[in-house]
Amino acid sequence: MTKTSRRTMIHRWGAAADRRWSAQPFRRGVPIPPEVFLAHGRTATLRYLDTAPDDATRPLVVLLADPPVTIESYSDLIGRLRDSHRVVVTELPGFGFSTPLPGYDFTLTALGDALTEFIATLSDTHTTLVAPCATAYCALDIATRQPALLHRLVLTQAPDWPTALFWRDRLDRASKGILRTPLLGQLLLRAVRTNLGGQWLRRACATPDTRARLLADFAAADRTGAAFSLATAFQHYLAGPAPRIDTATDILALWGDADPSHRHSDPETITRIAPAARLVRLPDTGHFPELERPDILAALLR
């Protein structure tokens, strides 16, 4: 067996471990409060909230939950939008209570395929996709491959691809690169995910009230067994060459200027991969502009 095939096999073992752990809450029942549903796709089962599943008349806004945040933390933003929009919030495969199925390999293409399948079941017109952080690149990839699917993109806290990889490496310094090491990274994160998730929210969120709510929601989800496949995302999603992006979709980029995790990132670099993007910078706002300043996002969407 060659060195390349060994490395590939170890990567697959790590991803398989996260698929197995992500499925555990489904064996004992995932939280399904009012307006929350499960979408059973070819490669993933997504837990999502839908404020108006039978209303095809309102413009559709699909929000991707920013791990380790789950759909429960979007209540304030949903309240500001539900009278004018059909609002859908979904957790990503391997995070929260959405589980990847056999064949899902955690790559950008795999996530794009799962989300494309999901969004296509909701609506085929006037859809806005709100994609935070690293999911922005998947959103841009979807807009490139399926230009008719999305009417508009809202990207939050997303620089260009090289800057995102630098950001990933800075986050992984505390583990001395272990999170990016196949299998070892998954095992480490399994042991420390509760502390790591809480530390991340305390550090990245700059708004005290929002921070307290995110921490409470995260603690409740963690007690119930929510998945947090960050190591696998580092190894499979934030890896490789930059995705090919070529889209004419309307793009709005929101950036929180008080995000310490991105203090070395230049938000203007998003225009290198999305030249038409309009950048709105928000002072006193951290890593979660859509949650810390829901009034701004709601006003922009209207």
Side-chain angles (χ1 to χ4, degrees):
M1 183 180 292
T2 66
K3 181 177 181 180
T4 301
S5 61
R6 275 199 304 271
R7 185 177 184 275
T8 300
M9 184 63 70
I10 295 174
H11 275 79
R12 290 176 179 172
W13 287 344
D18 264 337
R19 281 195 299 270
R20 181 180 180 87
W21 292 328
S22 298
Q24 289 178 356
F26 280 80
R27 299 191 184 105
R28 57 180 179 267
V30 302
I32 306 292
E35 298 188 330
V36 173
F37 308 89
L38 296 178
H40 300 282
R42 293 179 297 105
T43 59
T45 297
L46 303 182
R47 189 178 78 124
Y48 70 102
L49 182 148
D50 191 340
T51 62
D54 299 319
D55 189 346
T57 63
R58 301 182 190 182
L60 173 66
V61 177
V62 178
L63 298 115
L64 306 182
D66 192 358
V69 179
T70 56
I71 59 179
E72 284 75 14
S73 293
Y74 285 76
S75 57
D76 191 1
L77 177 57
I78 291 169
R80 295 171 185 268
L81 289 173
R82 66 185 307 143
D83 289 341
S84 57
H85 292 74
R86 176 187 176 189
V87 186
V88 171
V89 187
T90 185
E91 295 158 356
L92 308 178
F95 295 93
F97 299 97
S98 289
T99 186
L101 303 176
Y104 185 87
D105 63 5
F106 290 89
T107 60
L108 186 146
T109 299
L111 178 59
D113 289 344
L115 292 176
T116 296
E117 180 184 19
F118 172 65
I119 294 170
T121 67
L122 301 173
S123 175
D124 58 2
T125 60
H126 208 80
T127 298
T128 296
L129 178 62
V130 181
C133 193
T135 65
Y137 314 109
C138 176
L140 289 165
D141 178 65
I142 293 173
T144 298
R145 293 193 290 149
Q146 302 286 339
L149 187 64
L150 301 175
H151 173 72
R152 177 168 51 181
L153 292 178
V154 179
L155 313 179
T156 69
Q157 227 59 10
D160 67 353
W161 182 255
T163 305
L165 298 186
F166 178 75
W167 172 85
R168 173 205 63 187
D169 294 346
R170 287 187 63 248
L171 291 184
D172 197 22
R173 284 178 186 171
S175 79
K176 298 182 179 179
I178 293 178
L179 287 181
R180 285 179 289 136
T181 303
L183 198 55
L184 286 179
Q186 282 81 3
L187 292 172
L188 173 64
L189 192 64
R190 183 70 174 172
V192 302
R193 65 177 186 173
T194 299
N195 290 335
L196 186 64
Q199 289 172 3
W200 167 245
L201 294 174
R202 291 185 189 93
R203 177 188 180 196
C205 183
T207 313
D209 290 346
T210 304
R211 185 190 307 123
R213 186 173 71 253
L214 294 183
L215 285 167
D217 291 341
F218 169 71
D222 186 60
R223 287 193 299 268
T224 315
F228 188 33
S229 302
L230 181 65
T232 302
F234 276 9
Q235 297 164 24
H236 293 260
Y237 182 89
L238 281 173
R244 185 183 69 85
I245 296 169
D246 182 13
T247 177
T249 303
D250 182 38
I251 301 172
L252 175 66
L254 300 184
W255 186 271
D257 279 333
D259 177 5
S261 78
H262 271 296
R263 62 179 177 271
H264 297 296
S265 300
D266 180 1
E268 300 284 350
T269 59
I270 187 63
T271 59
R272 295 175 184 169
I273 55 176
R278 293 174 291 123
L279 178 65
V280 176
R281 301 182 67 162
L282 304 175
D284 304 318
T285 304
H287 191 78
F288 307 96
E290 70 277 30
L291 299 176
E292 297 180 58
R293 294 302 309 273
D295 54 328
I296 296 292
L297 179 56
L300 290 169
L301 290 179
R302 293 195 186 101

